[in-house]
Amino acid sequence: MSDADFARLSALIFEQTGINLTATKRRHIEGKLGKRAATLGLRSVAEYIKLLFERGMLESEVDTLIDLATTNKTDFFREQAHFDLLDKILVPALLKTRPSGAVPRLKVWSAAASNGPEAFTIAMVLAEAAARGPRFEFAVLGTDVSPEMVEDARRAIYPASMIASLPAALRRRYFMQGRGTGTQAKVRVVPELRRHVRFGQVNLVAEKLAVDRDVDVIFLRNVLIYFDGPTQKAVVRRLVGHLRPSGYLILGHTEAAIGNGMGFEQVGTGVFRVT
Ligand SMILES: C[S@@+](CC[C@H](N)C(=O)[O-])C[C@H]1O[C@@H](n2cnc3c(N)ncnc32)[C@H](O)[C@@H]1O
């Protein structure tokens, strides 16, 4: 890929997602573009880029390009300390602020959800807490810029190996075994948990986000690292506008410093109370 083509593509990805395609990603992206070009029966990446920018194919390919540019690595209970804090500190603190009488309802948003494990982990933690009592209801929203990830999350089917290290009780309660065996073995999140979790496509760098403004906790983890400094702060500011007063924002461990100096109260590594 020529420097000019890489620059055109990087500018497009930045405009669409806020992601900085640094020079170190160039070879990786080029490989993915090569596969896409071959799938479309084209001879080279150069031909693909030409069709995108000069022959009007951009509109129909933009979702595919977003999928190619995003890094979707995720896991169940990734950075477990955040889920322990959610269970032991945040949920009790949030329930205390609700008026007594009606059954309280907590809303949690996984704002760069990839194909769903973070959102389902939140749902498992909340389901366990609600079963232990005091009773409460909850809804989890998982969003991602990548349409492919959102579709995958809605299916809620994962390799069995992804849940192998979870406690047996959680595996039994929240996953159904699929038909495959060995490395092909798959599991699916049970409908009782899935009914608490909704997925949608949301681009965090868009001006307006179609998300409620009374969210209790936002998980914004392992996505800010792909943005430049000004975009990181702008995204955090936009997202906290969707929190209830005294709601919580959770950033990935490597991104925790981004929340400093923004006027939030720090309650754990990467965990902030926003007043
Ligand atoms: C590395 S994954 C992190 C998944 C999960 N939060 C975790 O920590 O395991 C980053 C996700 O951010 C998404 N993403 C990248 N840019 C985005 C944007 N502008 N808006 C929304 N999601 C974005 C990617 O598609 C990808 O699924």
Side-chain angles (χ1 to χ4, degrees):
M1 181 165 40
S2 70
D3 288 352
D5 281 348
F6 184 64
R8 280 206 283 193
L9 192 76
S10 304
L12 171 82
I13 295 298
F14 183 74
E15 182 196 295
Q16 293 288 327
T17 65
I19 294 174
N20 258 332
L21 281 186
T22 51
T24 51
K25 301 253 178 70
R26 182 163 166 170
R27 195 172 285 245
H28 178 66
I29 292 291
E30 204 165 350
K32 287 183 168 183
L33 292 174
K35 280 195 195 136
R36 179 64 185 158
T39 305
L40 295 173
L42 304 172
R43 270 164 301 159
S44 65
V45 171
E47 198 178 333
Y48 178 56
I49 301 256
K50 195 166 179 175
L51 286 175
L52 288 179
F53 291 104
E54 290 160 33
R55 303 279 157 77
M57 212 171 79
L58 196 52
E59 207 180 313
S60 60
E61 281 292 291
V62 77
D63 281 351
T64 304
L65 288 167
I66 291 173
D67 285 328
L68 295 185
T70 51
T71 308
N72 308 113
K73 181 183 151 31
T74 188
D75 213 344
F76 292 94
F77 286 93
R78 183 180 188 185
E79 300 181 14
Q80 165 129 21
H82 288 157
F83 299 102
D84 294 341
L85 202 82
L86 175 70
D87 185 27
K88 298 197 170 67
I89 311 283
L90 308 194
V91 168
L94 287 162
L95 293 179
K96 247 188 224 155
T97 65
R98 296 298 210 272
S100 53
V103 178
R105 186 163 193 268
L106 299 184
K107 286 188 184 180
V108 182
W109 178 18
S110 163
S114 188
N115 67 341
E118 182 175 86
F120 287 123
T121 303
I122 295 164
M124 280 189 268
V125 169
L126 296 180
E128 292 290 300
R132 259 190 340 256
R135 197 160 75 86
F136 64 92
E137 287 173 1
F138 63 91
V140 181
L141 172 67
T143 64
D144 201 278
V145 71
S146 160
E148 198 182 310
M149 286 302 112
V150 172
E151 239 178 74
D152 214 16
R154 285 183 180 140
R155 276 193 289 271
I157 296 172
Y158 301 97
S161 56
M162 265 183 95
I163 63 157
S165 62
L166 264 55
L170 293 186
R171 279 187 272 139
R172 234 186 355 258
R173 268 203 280 284
Y174 298 114
F175 294 90
M176 309 179 285
Q177 302 297 324
R179 253 180 257 136
T181 54
T183 54
Q184 299 303 310
K186 295 268 196 292
V187 292
R188 188 169 197 202
V189 178
V190 295
E192 294 79 3
L193 195 69
R194 289 207 309 270
R195 76 178 176 82
H196 293 281
V197 187
R198 215 162 37 85
F199 290 98
Q201 190 188 7
V202 169
N203 185 350
L204 299 174
V205 300
E207 285 287 308
K208 287 220 164 98
L209 312 178
V211 173
D212 294 348
R213 291 192 170 270
D214 58 352
V215 175
D216 293 288
V217 184
I218 299 176
F219 280 70
L220 176 64
R221 306 189 314 155
N222 302 304
V223 62
L224 292 176
I225 35 167
Y226 303 110
F227 304 153
D228 62 20
T231 310
Q232 291 175 336
K233 296 268 183 209
V235 167
V236 168
R237 257 184 237 108
R238 192 173 304 127
L239 260 69
V240 299
H242 290 262
L243 280 175
R244 270 175 188 268
S246 296
Y248 296 92
L249 172 72
I250 305 187
L251 306 179
H253 282 120
T254 60
E255 305 159 316
I258 299 165
N260 296 336
M262 294 191 75
F264 312 144
E265 179 197 339
Q266 186 162 358
V267 296
T269 307
V271 185
F272 301 91
R273 187 162 154 267
V274 182
T275 41

